Structure formats: structure tokens, C-alpha cells
């Protein structure tokens, strides 16, 4: 594979955020400003995901060339769902949400097609770059990000750099066990944080509790759990205390392992609001060495639009 040189005069990068349902692509500058973007349905399982990614990039380039004739691109940054072999820029594994995607040599394919330098990383890792530039991570050299959504994703920044590990899988913070005899996890582990703190698991555990109480309600989602919690309902409170204990236990472990100055929490569960953060800070304090906890901030993630797409582009300036 030919190596593509960076153009020092180029001001714009194409950032691409590849998810199970949507692909967002946009022109992004070094300040994280978005100048034109497109959003396409992934259509996973119906059409090739690579074809959809290429289509999104082609549309953004066409739009950029219309509004800025002579547009000079620095490269393409991709933040993708799945586990990414970071050096190769290939998809090492992907969930059943994107069939046929695992094994894709995405970096090679896109470099060949667009004749531009390409960097591919995991979608949560690139969110940490958005935090560094625009979010709570500004000025922080040692921090970690937890994305509490369908699953629990993580990213780890040490000495100002993302930690990739041997091939790019580092920072799977959702799959540390918070209960060695706990709920079996999809990863093969037992009692993983993801089984207690993802939006999916919060809703599932609430439905299980209601069924045990003889009040089955299959419509309950995460938002409903938070509404019941804020209304003071005891079942929702019991469930959220478990969730907070699991999160507090995991975060105390991260603090003892990595000595971060900041923990950033995003994803749908962070939408539970300030009460979640206030109680979580107390829970972490109960479980951490005071000397290690001193000065550690626990903050919500960047709330602006297109954080994943911006972070994907920012890789080219790292
Ligand atoms: Zn797991």
C-alpha cells in the first residue's frame, strides 16, 4: 500500500462517524467547526457498509467543492462501531448490528478510492478527542471517557494520548467485572459493568423487577426508569442504587489504576442529569482511596451535535 503524504496547507478533514443505524460525514477544521455534512442510513444487512461510507464521503466532497472551489483536503478520519485494528485501520470485529462488516480493510479501501491519508479508530476513542478539544477534557492530560448507551464503551487518555494497546482494543472499560458472581455478559465475562450501567441493561433489569413483582410492563425504557426514579418510586430507586454502585465500583478501580484527573460520562444514561452525577460522585468517594480521589472531576460529556464525526476528523491533527 502506498503511503499518502499529509498536505500541510490543507485546512479540512472529512470526519466520518459509522454507527449501526447512521453514517454521518462532514467537513471539519482543526477547531472542530463543521462546514457541511451529510447523514445517511447505514442500511446494515441490506447494502455494503463500505459502499454507504464511500457514498457519504463522495457527497461531502461534492458539497465542499461547490461551496469552496479548490478545496484542499488533509485526509479522512473515521470513527467506527466495532473493534478496530488501529495500525491496519481494519475492522477486527463488529456486532451483529452490522453484518458482514468484520474483516473490512477500511483504511486501505478508502485510501485507494479517495487517494487521501485515512485514519480509522473506534467510535468511543474518537469521542475522547472531541472532549480534549471542545469538552470537559480541555487541558486534561490524563482522563477517561465512559459512553453509557446500548452498551458501555470506553476510551483512555494517558499523557495526552489515546491508549490503543497492542492492536487497538485498549479501553474496553465496560467489560471490567464489578461482581464476580454477577450477571453473565455477552463478552463471555461475568458481572461486567455493561450489564448494570448500559441503557439497555437498566431498562431490562427494571422490566425484570416489575415482572417479579407481578406488574409486568414491557414498554418500560431507560427514560421511564429515570422519570420513576426522579418521582421517588422505590423500585426505580432500588435499581438506580445498584446501577450507581456498579458505576462507582468500576470508576474507583479506574482511578486506582490510571490516576486520572477527570472521568467523562456520556451516552443516553448521562441524560439522567445532575442527580446521577451528584450521587455517582458520592458513590465513587465511598469506594476510593482519599489520596487518589483528591481533585478527580466526574463530568458530563460534550453535548454538541456531531461529536463522533468531529472526533473522527480530529485524528488527522493528532
Ligand atoms: Zn462483558
Amino acid at each position: 500500500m502506498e503511503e499518502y503524504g499529509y498536505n500541510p496547507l490543507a485546512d479540512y478533514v472529512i470526519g466520518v462517524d459509522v454507527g449501526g443505524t447512521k453514517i454521518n460525514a462532514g467537513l471539519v477544521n482543526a477547531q472542530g467547526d463543521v462546514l457541511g455534512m451529510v447523514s445517511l442510513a447505514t442500511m446494515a444487512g441490506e447494502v455494503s457498509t463500505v459502499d454507504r461510507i464511500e457514498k457519504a464521503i463522495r457527497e461531502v466532497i461534492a458539497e465542499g467543492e461547490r461551496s469552496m472551489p479548490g478545496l484542499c483536503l488533509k485526509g479522512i478520519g473515521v470513527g467506527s462501531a466495532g473493534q478496530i485494528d488501529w495500525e491496519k485501520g481494519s475492522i477486527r470485529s463488529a456486532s451483529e448490528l452490522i453484518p458482514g462488516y468484520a474483516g473490512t480493510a477500511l483504511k486501505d479501501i478508502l485510501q485507494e478510492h479517495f487517494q487521501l491519508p485515512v485514519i480509522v479508530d473506534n467510535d468511543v476513542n474518537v469521542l475522547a478527542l472531541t472532549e480534549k478539544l471542545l469538552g470537559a477534557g480541555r487541558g486534561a492530560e490524563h482522563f477517561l471517557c465512559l459512553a453509557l448507551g446500548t452498551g458501555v464503551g470506553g476510551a483512555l487518555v494517558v499523557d495526552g494520548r489515546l491508549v490503543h494497546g497492542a492492536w487497538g482494543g485498549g479501553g474496553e472499560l465496560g467489560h471490567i467485572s464489578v461482581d464476580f458472581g454477577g450477571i453473565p455478559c455477552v463478552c463471555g465475562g461475568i458481572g461486567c459493568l455493561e450489564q448494570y450501567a448500559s441503557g439497555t441493561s437498566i431498562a431490562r433489569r427494571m422490566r425484570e423487577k416489575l415482572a417479579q413483582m407481578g406488574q409486568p410492563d414491557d414498554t418500560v425504557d431507560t427514560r421511564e426508569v429515570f422519570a420513576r426514579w426522579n418521582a421517588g418510586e422505590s423500585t426505580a430507586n432500588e435499581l438506580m442504587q445498584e446501577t450507581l454502585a456498579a458505576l462507582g465500583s468500576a470508576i474507583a478501580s479506574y482511578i486506582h489504576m490510571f490516576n486520572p484527573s477527570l472521568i467523562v460520562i456520556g451516552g443516553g444514561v448521562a441524560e439522567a442529569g445532575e442527580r446521577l452525577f451528584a450521587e455517582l460522585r458520592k458513590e465513587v468517594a465511598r469506594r476510593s482511596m482519599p489520596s487518589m480521589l483528591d481533585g478527580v472531576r466526574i463530568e458530563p460529556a460534550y453535548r454538541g451535535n456531531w461529536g463522533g464525526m468531529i472526533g473522527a476528523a480530529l485524528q488527522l491533527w493528532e
Side-chain angles (χ1 to χ4, degrees):
M1 195 70 218
E2 178 187 348
E3 277 303 309
Y4 295 89
Y6 292 92
N7 181 340
L9 300 175
D11 293 325
Y12 296 102
V13 166
I14 295 179
V16 190
D17 180 16
V18 181
T21 56
K22 265 190 306 184
I23 295 168
N24 296 324
L27 276 177
V28 181
N29 67 15
Q31 287 73 48
D33 302 318
V34 176
L35 299 104
M37 66 159 295
V38 300
S39 184
L40 299 181
T42 307
M43 298 171 74
E46 296 172 54
V47 295
S48 145
T49 302
V50 173
D51 288 351
R52 296 297 280 174
I53 294 169
E54 288 181 345
K55 179 174 161 64
I57 295 170
R58 273 198 311 274
E59 288 185 11
V60 168
I61 291 175
E63 192 186 319
E65 283 173 346
R66 264 196 306 276
S67 56
M68 287 178 277
L71 171 71
C72 195
L73 290 167
K74 192 177 181 70
I76 298 171
V78 181
S80 175
Q83 290 184 335
I84 311 299
D85 189 314
W86 187 64
E87 298 247 308
K88 293 186 193 143
S90 62
I91 314 303
R92 185 159 173 135
S93 76
S95 80
E96 67 280 9
L97 288 176
I98 314 184
Y101 191 43
T104 303
L106 192 58
K107 174 178 165 170
D108 287 352
I109 293 169
L110 296 180
Q111 285 192 159
E112 177 87 22
H113 191 121
F114 293 101
Q115 302 286 303
L116 286 166
V118 175
I119 304 178
V120 182
D121 203 347
N122 165 270
D123 49 1
V124 184
N125 275 356
V126 304
L127 281 176
L129 302 181
T130 308
E131 290 301 327
K132 257 173 75 174
L133 183 73
L134 303 171
R138 275 174 292 185
E141 289 282 297
H142 307 275
F143 67 97
L144 44 92
C145 299
L146 271 179
L148 311 177
T150 313
V152 173
L156 181 59
V157 174
V158 172
D159 291 326
R161 310 287 296 176
L162 272 167
V163 173
H164 287 100
W167 52 262
E172 279 286 10
L173 303 176
H175 297 280
I176 70 151
S177 182
V178 292
D179 181 353
F180 66 74
I183 304 171
C185 185
V186 289
C187 75
I190 294 170
C192 290
L193 177 64
E194 179 165 296
Q195 296 303 319
Y196 303 89
S198 67
T200 313
S201 72
I202 289 171
R204 191 199 66 236
R205 280 159 44 239
M206 186 70 181
R207 291 194 293 264
E208 287 169 2
K209 274 186 195 291
L210 290 171
Q212 280 161 15
M213 293 161 61
Q215 301 163 11
D217 182 351
D218 286 340
T219 67
V220 170
D221 60 8
T222 314
R223 206 165 288 203
E224 167 80 10
V225 176
F226 298 149
R228 290 183 187 216
W229 183 40
N230 285 320
E233 197 210 76
S234 62
T235 309
N237 188 52
E238 189 186 308
L239 184 130
M240 287 307 293
Q241 292 314 314
E242 280 171 23
T243 301
L244 286 160
L247 270 172
S249 168
I251 291 172
S253 298
Y254 307 145
I255 289 172
H256 297 155
M257 268 189 273
F258 302 113
N259 186 204
S261 64
L262 168 72
I263 316 282
V264 180
I265 299 180
V269 175
E271 307 290 317
E274 184 45 38
R275 180 180 177 193
L276 179 93
F277 284 86
E279 296 203 15
L280 183 57
R281 290 179 190 116
K282 285 187 216 155
E283 192 66 42
V284 172
R286 269 200 287 276
R287 294 164 182 271
S288 307
M289 286 184 225
S291 60
M292 299 292 296
L293 182 71
D294 190 33
V296 178
R297 294 183 293 135
I298 300 177
E299 302 289 346
Y302 174 72
R303 297 282 293 274
N305 290 327
W306 326 121
M309 186 181 84
I310 294 168
L314 293 176
Q315 296 179 95
L316 273 286
W317 283 283
E318 277 293 300

